Amino acid sequence: MLQESMDAYSALSDGQFGIDDATSVAGLGMSALGAFLDPAGALVGAILGPLLDWVAANVSFVKEPLDLLLGDPGEVMQYSQRWQAAAQQLTLASQQQVQDVQNNLQHWSGQAYEAFIKVQVNVNKAFTSSAQLCQSMGNAVQVAGTIVGVLRELVWGLVKELVISLVTNAVIAAAAAIPSFGASLGAYTAWASGKVAMVMGKISMGISKVFSKLSRLTTRIGPLSRMFDQAGAAFARMAARFDVPAGTTPPRGRRTHDPDAPNPAPHPPFGDPEPLGTRPDQPLSATDHPYLQPNGTTPETQALPGAPQPTAVTPADVPVPDGWPPLDQSALNTFDGAPTPETWPAGETRYRVVGDGQYPSGSFWTREPPASDDVLRGDLAVLNEWNGNHGVVAYTPSQDLNVWVGPAGAQPTTGYDPLNPTHLPGGGEQIYVQRGGFPSGDLDDPGRWHVQSTPWSN
């Protein structure tokens, strides 16, 4: 009651009327009413309340279990502040990058200048997007910290109320034991058991409601985490562009609709094109192409810590236009979100990484061959146990193909360990061709297919 009196005086003496004025007076009134109705409880509470608060804050064997059960709001808020600090640092980095570009490129012009500016614009967008993501993550964690704080106060208040009530009534029962010939002690024991059960029920209900709110919050944080992975993959793709030796250009798909157009000539550092040596619907062999590698069993070096977030998309969520094949759940699990229908134009060459024993006419393709093994494993989330790689198949269709396009979804790494989970982030664009989706005439036309070694094979 003393604390409520001090709170009311502080609220009313600041010269401003606010909600605190009303609530503090109401709190004082409720405390006074409680003291009138239960003077013994009020007296014990005045003594035990501050003592219990001190014990919970300073005695380790009490504080640590509370932190484990209910969380530490201060620690959660520290994480929120770290996210917000990271957002500020990324914002400053974005501003500094703009200044550096403006100050250092005043006398540069031409095609190289324009290409460099394009890359710098993408870098700046990545900085800005990452800053926004950090701020959003910080806000989400701050909300979680507030929820944890409310839960802690709720549960600790109920525990204090229980202890004070038990002590108060224990004293009364002990004082009445002699005149009641011990009956008061039996009554107290029965009452105490019911009181404990009632308070534990309230605590369980409170925790259940808070965890329900936290569950909804984590469904929002999950996509933010995947967006961070995708932002990192975008930086990796930009870095890969600078990792190509001077004077060389990775091969690019032909942007033409001529079904009779010849296959594009390869560019170094990819190997010379070779005939498949088999039908596209038959596996390739390292006997014919020695650079092809078998599937591996070791985890990928591009792995990130943590378990991958499963897709929430189901076949019912993906509208299927006329002429497009429907997608089953296993195909959707390879995407991050819902893919979109797209036409692969006749005459446009696209690419697929293969290893020993892989099928050239597989389902997964890209517009351009991956620039590095990091892009293949990280951006496209292709596991060692799925694809030994080191070979690239190029295919030019004779007619339009109806395909599905979208970002590759995160995947658990080779040899996935649930106790120490790691994943490949994905995020790079992939093209999905339904099994059996290639024209039968193209499968019989070896001129539309070739294979060559990757730059990281040499």
Side-chain angles (χ1 to χ4, degrees), residues 15-74:
Q16 297 179 347
F17 181 78
I19 189 67
D20 289 346
D21 299 330
T23 56
S24 60
V25 173
L28 177 60
M30 292 301 294
S31 296
L33 179 61
F36 175 76
L37 296 175
D38 185 12
L43 178 62
V44 174
I47 299 172
L48 282 184
L51 178 61
L52 290 172
D53 288 337
W54 182 89
V55 169
N58 297 280
V59 178
S60 60
F61 67 83
V62 176
K63 182 178 184 301
E64 290 175 2
L66 277 174
D67 289 344
L68 289 174
L69 175 64
L70 305 176
D72 185 347

